Amino acid sequence: MRRRLVAGNWKMHGSLAANGALLLDVLDGLPSEAKGECAVCVPFPYLAQARDHLAGTPLAWGAQNLSEHAQGAYTGEVSGAMVAEFGCRYVLVGHSERRALYGETDAVVAAKFMAAQRVGLVPILCIGETLEQRESGVTADVVGGQLDAVLDMAGVEALANAVVAYEPVWAIGTGRTASPEQAQEVHALVRGRVSVRSEAIGAGIRVLYGGSVKPQNAAELFSMPDIDGGLIGGASLAAADFLGIVRAAG
Ligand code: PEP
């Protein structure tokens, strides 16, 4: 049985005061009987605040990016070891905004995935197709290719300690959610692609859905057999919405 995960991606939002309040509100409202796991991925400057507020609580925290390099002359970059020092469990890799706006290729994403695991972080590997790709019928090739880049470089065993997030680019921040059936189709494809290399790892890997998840559509999405939770952007910035989604995950 896969343990559900609902992870918030705050992106570049907030302030020390606002984020502190949001962390406490989420913590306060976490259902005590929840069987799933819950995490928030905060901007780098707020990692210390997350650690201070969340250490010893059921709410995990993580970062939204890391360098593929361990250290050196990479001005402005942040290494996995630095992120890990702040007690993070998770780190996003290959978010579509990183791929589209900062030119992260499949190879760079795979290198970041491995850099995360080298320091004990659990990478949440984000994959997904653009609207144009979906409309041209190449979703399976695109998503499969993004996944294979990591499988080929890191090996299937690396997926045993990782999470995949399927995030159709056309659904991120647009209010346009994939239907549960559309998402399920891709989630099954992702699991199948891993299962070809290792049945056990394919069966065990958590595949989250991301893209305009709201309290109103979360339960329906999470009811699909291969959807193991969600990666939540906009709705993770309001405690009530995020908590509504966490409750829908059970
Ligand atoms: C995201 O940023 O990963 C995301 C899924 O955003 P949203 O929930 O706002 O679509």
Side-chain angles (χ1 to χ4, degrees):
M1 186 61 188
R2 297 181 295 270
R3 191 165 180 226
R4 288 214 172 129
L5 169 63
V6 174
N9 171 17
W10 287 3
K11 310 196 190 197
M12 196 175 75
H13 288 294
S15 64
L16 210 47
N19 292 350
L22 181 53
L23 285 174
L24 293 178
D25 285 347
V26 171
L27 199 52
D28 208 36
L30 272 190
S32 53
E33 72 289 0
K35 292 190 284 294
E37 206 188 341
C38 187
V40 283
C41 295
V42 307
F44 291 134
Y46 304 111
L47 287 175
Q49 181 186 48
R51 178 199 54 197
D52 292 350
H53 282 34
L54 305 181
T57 77
L59 184 56
W61 63 99
Q64 300 169 13
N65 185 27
L66 80 168
S67 171
E68 66 271 40
H69 304 290
Q71 64 169 348
Y74 302 105
T75 302
E77 290 290 281
V78 175
S79 74
M82 293 171 181
V83 166
E85 270 198 310
F86 288 91
C88 292
R89 183 177 306 161
Y90 294 105
V91 61
L92 304 182
V93 298
H95 191 280
S96 68
E97 288 151 18
R98 301 292 320 169
R99 293 178 189 261
L101 303 175
Y102 300 98
E104 290 189 9
T105 61
D106 282 349
V108 167
V109 172
K112 289 188 175 205
F113 181 99
M114 293 177 72
Q117 289 195 328
R118 272 198 296 274
V119 295
L121 297 166
V122 178
I124 300 179
L125 170 67
C126 303
I127 58 179
E129 82 288 0
T130 63
L131 186 58
E132 196 188 350
Q133 289 165 334
R134 173 159 284 264
E135 286 174 347
S136 359
V138 296
T139 297
D141 293 339
V142 171
V143 170
Q146 291 171 336
L147 189 59
D148 281 356
V150 172
L151 283 164
D152 291 346
M153 199 187 282
V156 68
E157 293 74 23
L159 272 285
N161 201 18
V163 176
V164 174
Y166 168 56
E167 299 206 300
V169 178
W170 48 272
I172 297 179
T174 59
R176 186 177 164 190
T177 319
S179 69
E181 294 73 24
Q182 278 175 322
Q184 166 59 27
E185 190 182 2
V186 180
H187 281 233
L189 182 152
V190 167
R191 194 176 306 290
R193 198 105 172 180
V194 179
S195 296
V196 167
R197 303 196 193 205
S198 162
E199 218 170 298
I201 295 172
I205 191 161
R206 293 183 290 181
V207 187
L208 313 184
Y209 169 77
S212 297
V213 179
K214 306 273 178 262
Q216 298 78 359
N217 58 27
E220 215 188 342
L221 285 159
F222 298 161
S223 72
M224 303 310 279
D226 289 299
I227 300 184
D228 304 311
L231 180 55
I232 318 300
S236 71
L237 296 171
D241 288 346
F242 188 59
L243 290 165
I245 296 168
V246 170
R247 278 194 297 276

